[in-house]
Amino acid sequence: MSKKLSRRFFLGGAGVAISLPMLDAMIPIGRRKAQAQGDDPTRLFYVYVPNGMIRTKITPSDTGAGYTMPSQLGGLEDVKGDFNILTGLSNHPGGGRYTYADGTVSNDGPGDHARDTGTFLTAARLKKTAGTDIRNGISVDQVAANHLRMFTPAIPSLVLATREGSYGGDSGYAPIYKSNISWANETTPMAKEASARAAFERLFAGFDPGETEEQRALRMARNQSVLDYCLDDITRLRGQLGAKDGVKLDGYLSGIRQLEIKLETEDSGVICDPGEAPPDNPGWLNLVDHMFEVVKLAFQCDRTRVATLMLEKPGNVYDFLSVDGNPVNSAHHQMTHLEAGNADVRRIEAINKWQLDQFGSIIRRFKGVDDGDGSLLDNSLVMFGGGLDGTGHANGDASLTPQASGPVHRHTNLPLFLAGRGRGAVRTGRHIRYTDNEPIADLYVSMLQAAGVPADSFGLEGTGPLSQLS
Amino acid sequence: MCVWRPPQSSPVIAALVLCLACQGTIGDPTGDDRDTPYTPEQCAAAEIDPGRVTIHRLNRDEYGNTVRALLFEDQDPSAELPLDDESGNGFLNDADTLSIGVLLVDKYDAVSRSLAPRAVARAEFRDAYLACDGGRECAEQFVRDFGLRAFRRPPTDVEVTRLADMIETGSVDGDFDDGVELAVRAMLLSPSFLFRSEPHAPGVRDLDSYEVASRLSYFLWQTMPDQELFDLAAVDALADEETIRDQVGRMIEDDRFEGFFEGFLDRWLRIYRLEDYTPDEAYTFDEELRQAFFDETTAFVEHIIATDAPLSELLTADYTFVNERLAEHYGIEGITGSELQRVTLTEQRGGLLTHGSILSVTSHPNRTSPVQRGKWILEELLCTPPPDPPADVDALLEEPEGGEPLTVRERLAEHRRNPECAVCHDTMDPLGLAFEHYDPVGMWREEDNGHAVDATGELPDGRRFDGALELAGILAEDDAYVGCVTEKLFAYSIGRSLQPQDYCIVQNVVDRAEARGGSIRAIIEELVIDDVFRAVGGREELDR
């Protein structure tokens, strides 16, 4: 009986990891598809933070290149020339009430956290349901991945998070919405990877420099026979089942096909040394660092060109930070309702400051990588921010204090930062203020175009590239 | 979202119906009422079929448990897999919600590459499946023996030929084990292993004994069938109702029944949230207490099931299980040591609702939340989730600037002055306020913010109660309670959400279970002998 009682806390969490084949550290690996004609990779990285940010100290009062650095961005002074602050962009489909282009009105009431996360990269309208009949749209990273996979077929994109599992439901929205920013299509989120080591291994494992040609051929044949067996089994099953089952089998089939592509392409390319694999359970703060590093390495070695990272769930506790001499040990989301008034404001600002420091860490990391024709930062676009203004003040008006506004999260005037030059598509070092209800979806069109993905619209509202970026 | 309609009157829900109607949840103005449960009249008129479950991927826990049982593996390979998404009802085994894509298949591939050679080298594995050491006959025998367990049904002749071929061609330089390893890898990655599928037929089809064995074992154990279930399936004995009842009895007493607690109980009661509950420092809390909370609820429910107690006892029991740390927290004297001991309770506590576990996971870190506690009762015990607050309502419970600090009750009352809020909160809040004697970590208190606690309330039918014990007594007798627990068990047992006509099945199960004493075990038994568990149908709406 006592064994049974303690099941959760002894069995849960850190399971015993099984080491995967050939994953030893320091394998000199990484390979790059032979450079296709005109293939100059521009990478896209989307980093999401939940609950929005308090705007008052992240929004400069002046615009342009000479803007005065707001206090919350103090940690980014050394990289001021490498990013832009984008003020005033909105994601209207995330609102409680939404008017479609044809005038139809959808009034879905509460659930701003589900819509914050769910629509952040899709700019689509979520179907409000707690059931299984969910509907969203494809996310911008997956649009990019579907095109750029021709260059990195083995790993079209990375979908990462610093916290695994479900982040819970919200006011009648199924938990799946609040737990995923990256969506393969209207009904299927991309599973998120929350282990930097696992991601690293997926990116860089499987190459043995000592293997003979004969051994390699044998290994490939065996792998192929496993996949062939699975493909046949799908065909057999499909004949016995219905339409909804078919959707599940399609998901499975896409995975098997991807394994085939990985197998076919695993041997081409140049050597790139990713260094040592991150440890298994590095602790949360270190995990954040390792995640950034994994994305950097993946881009540097051209293993993939698109990545997303959910930097935490809404209810995370940032107790390594302290305010007024006390650890910030309330849950982030709980504090956004400002029940403790200014004390909560100060604690949230400490979290926001820390988040922006992480943005700086990404910028410095990318800037330090020589990408041949410039730095990795020169050849990337890194969007950092959230899908809520976090404080509920009026659209575009950053002068209101959060205390005066209350907890109604809005999907306008989003906290957004864009680093990198995207091979010249973006001029950095500026504060750009948008005043004409510009949708975040236009930014996504710009980012897709910068990466060479054909796109002239995106989501419900993106009708063309965003102004003022170049 | 389905709304449970109690067949007889439920005083608690009666008032909520008003609130739901006013919010448009009942009688959806769009005319789309496909999620509205059937009324008894509709049930009587309809031909009820069992419906279909979408092809069911093993979830993370099921996969880990299955692989360990199948391969005699002692490590947990599911640690390599991402966590599954939860469905709207909170469970992690909803077949429609369990998705699969590139990342997951990649992980399955990596894990099976690592597992297969280890398994083939393992003595228990060879004893179980590899009694011979080479040749075509041996290969075919291996596929039949191992395949039966891996696919949870006898492999077809085509599969046997195909996999035996693979063993032969995969035996590099005549090394038979190399071939076996390759076939094991292929089987572990194949959809026949990763998914539980129940082939469709026109109309309603009885599941075969192998399919019933799998349904039973994943429902009650979260793992594959054991030898006894396979043996019964081999002679089609699971077509027999009494045999199924006997198996339920055996399976509940087995250690693997732990899987039911992890998959069902922790999720239903939401006590999995204890894992990362962090109350403010003002409240007494430590890791020992966290574990004791969890242990208390587990031991208590185990006891309720083991003694076949009526469902009402879950809410009204005058006993619980505590160790020294928990006894100290509850103010119970004379308990020492870290082992749980049964104690008889008086006055301050009784039943599940006064467990520190549930009182904590329904609180905010800095204060109690009668709204959350009331909502928990409506959702988890009465299956009547309240509608969302209207858009743009200020959901704050702010401390007033200056002036006297208010109790949570007073702050809530202020909130209910808004008639838009009152229509629902008048019903919800009294349920939660009954628990105001328990602070955010479930410790008994006489005062809140310096004022004496008032835990009285009144139900819409005029009945008054004072405190959690009196409210629990009322809830335990409410018809909606047993229906709701049955609904939760139904959804979990077959891994799908309920459709309108499923409420007719729920009602039948409730009636039969009550005739047999109304225990949790009676509900489980009546569920698994019902057609919904033993057959699949061709209901149109399930394929919508």
Side-chain angles (χ1 to χ4, degrees), chain A residues 1-21 107-110 127-133 149 156 159 164-169 171-172 174-176 179-180 188-193 198-199 201-202 218-219 222-223 225-230 232-234 236-237 240-246 248-252 254-256 258-259 262-263 313 317 319 326-327 329-331 334 337-341 403 406-408 410, chain B residues 1 34 53-55 60 73 75-77 79-89 94-103 105-107 109-111 113-115 118 151 153 159 162-163 166 170 172 178-179 181-182 185-187 189-192 194-195 197-200 254-255 257-258 261-262 266 272 274-276 278 280-281 290-291 294-295 298-299 302 339-340 364-367 388-399 411 497 542-544:
Chain A
M1 188 163 187
S2 65
K3 179 174 145 272
K4 197 182 269 192
L5 291 178
S6 297
R7 62 187 197 270
R8 159 87 50 212
F9 294 94
F10 288 107
L11 293 179
V16 184
I18 293 176
S19 61
L20 301 171
N107 199 346
D108 289 339
K127 175 175 182 181
K128 189 163 197 180
T129 173
T132 53
D133 50 337
R149 69 194 312 151
V159 177
E164 62 178 343
S166 169
Y167 300 168
S171 309
I176 206 161
S179 309
N180 298 287
T188 315
M190 298 289 292
K192 53 191 191 284
E193 201 158 23
E201 287 169 347
R202 215 158 59 78
L218 178 63
R219 184 168 56 80
R222 286 169 69 89
N223 289 343
S225 72
V226 166
L227 301 180
D228 286 345
Y229 179 79
C230 294
D232 287 353
D233 203 22
I234 297 178
R236 182 189 63 79
L237 270 174
Q240 303 178 346
L241 302 168
K244 268 166 88 181
D245 306 294
K248 300 287 171 192
L249 286 176
D250 287 345
Y252 171 83
S254 70
I256 296 291
Q258 191 59 43
L259 286 176
K262 199 170 157 184
L263 191 63
K313 61 177 181 179
V317 175
D319 54 7
N326 298 313
N329 54 9
S330 296
Q334 173 70 11
H337 289 267
L338 306 183
E339 286 188 31
Q403 297 93 309
V408 180
R410 292 183 210 284
Chain B
M1 198 67 193
R34 64 165 187 233
V53 184
T54 305
I55 185 172
R60 193 178 192 246
E73 173 68 56
Q75 299 184 7
D76 183 3
E80 304 286 332
L81 305 178
L83 289 180
D84 299 305
D85 276 304
E86 70 177 313
S87 55
N89 58 24
D94 184 279
D96 284 320
T97 304
L98 287 168
S99 58
I100 182 165
V102 170
L103 179 70
V105 174
D106 194 276
K107 301 277 183 196
D109 178 53
V111 171
R113 279 168 195 250
S114 144
L115 288 171
R118 290 149 50 94
F151 300 159
R153 57 165 172 79
E159 284 168 333
R162 183 77 207 269
L163 288 160
M166 196 185 252
V172 183
D178 265 6
E181 181 191 315
L182 189 65
R185 247 185 74 191
M187 291 158 94
L189 187 60
S190 74
S192 291
L194 295 172
F195 293 92
S197 67
E198 292 159 350
H200 290 193
D254 191 281
D255 278 351
F257 191 52
E258 176 181 327
F261 281 75
E262 286 182 9
D266 297 357
Y272 69 91
L274 268 180
E275 279 184 84
D276 49 23
T278 322
D280 280 3
E281 278 169 351
R290 189 197 302 275
Q291 178 72 51
F294 189 73
D295 292 350
T298 303
E302 267 185 349
E339 291 292 311
L340 293 185
H364 293 312
N366 59 340
R367 63 164 171 85
D388 308 325
D392 292 335
V393 159
D394 187 342
L396 271 184
L397 284 184
E398 272 175 298
E399 287 276 8
R411 285 149 76 183
S497 56
L542 293 180
D543 260 339
R544 70 178 182 240

Side-chain angles (χ1 to χ4, degrees), chain A residues 304-427:
Chain A
T304 192
R305 297 181 179 185
V306 188
T308 64
L309 172 67
M310 294 183 81
L311 189 47
E312 262 315 310
K313 61 177 181 179
N316 191 42
V317 175
Y318 297 81
D319 54 7
F320 55 90
L321 299 172
S322 72
V323 168
D324 308 334
N326 298 313
V328 180
N329 54 9
S330 296
H332 185 190
H333 169 250
Q334 173 70 11
M335 291 190 293
T336 64
H337 289 267
L338 306 183
E339 286 188 31
N342 281 325
D344 276 342
V345 171
R346 284 195 298 277
R347 288 186 284 188
I348 295 170
E349 283 177 346
I351 294 172
N352 293 164
K353 168 86 166 63
W354 177 84
Q355 290 166 329
L356 289 164
D357 286 348
Q358 303 316 299
F359 181 49
S361 156
I362 298 172
I363 295 174
R364 280 177 219 110
R365 241 171 252 272
F366 279 36
K367 207 176 165 178
V369 173
D370 179 1
D371 199 39
D373 48 354
S375 73
L376 182 58
L377 190 65
D378 290 327
N379 298 335
S380 300
L381 289 175
V382 181
M383 190 185 90
F384 187 99
L388 291 171
D389 73 351
T391 63
H393 48 71
N395 187 18
D397 184 353
S399 66
L400 289 173
T401 63
Q403 297 93 309
S405 55
V408 180
H409 304 300
R410 292 183 210 284
H411 302 259
T412 51
N413 193 20
L414 306 177
L416 290 173
F417 304 85
L418 183 68
R421 283 165 279 277
R423 285 192 185 274
V426 174
R427 195 156 48 84

Side-chain angles (χ1 to χ4, degrees), chain B residues 415-532:
Chain B
H415 192 228
R416 282 199 305 275
R417 278 203 201 167
N418 179 342
E420 267 196 287
C421 302
V423 64
C424 288
H425 282 273
D426 279 351
T427 308
M428 292 165 64
D429 296 357
L431 298 176
L433 285 165
F435 298 88
E436 274 299 274
H437 273 301
Y438 310 94
D439 76 7
V441 288
M443 194 180 244
W444 181 266
R445 63 182 183 185
E446 296 289 348
E447 290 187 349
D448 172 24
N449 250 344
H451 299 271
V453 164
D454 174 4
T456 60
E458 186 177 329
L459 287 181
D461 68 353
R463 274 186 292 173
R464 296 189 59 79
F465 55 84
D466 184 359
L469 271 56
E470 289 186 17
L471 175 63
I474 293 172
L475 291 171
E477 299 307 317
D478 197 291
D479 287 330
Y481 166 53
V482 60
C484 178
V485 176
T486 305
E487 181 183 329
K488 303 271 182 194
L489 282 165
F490 179 119
Y492 177 73
S493 71
I494 56 176
R496 70 163 167 85
S497 56
L498 274 70
Q499 305 291 328
Q501 58 168 275
D502 291 327
Y503 292 85
C504 310
I505 300 170
V506 169
Q507 191 54 54
N508 289 338
V509 170
V510 167
D511 291 344
R512 296 201 307 263
E514 300 235 287
R516 295 171 67 103
S519 64
I520 292 179
R521 178 170 158 177
I523 298 172
I524 289 175
E525 267 190 41
E526 295 309 319
L527 247 179
V528 301
I529 59 111
D530 195 279
D531 267 358
V532 77

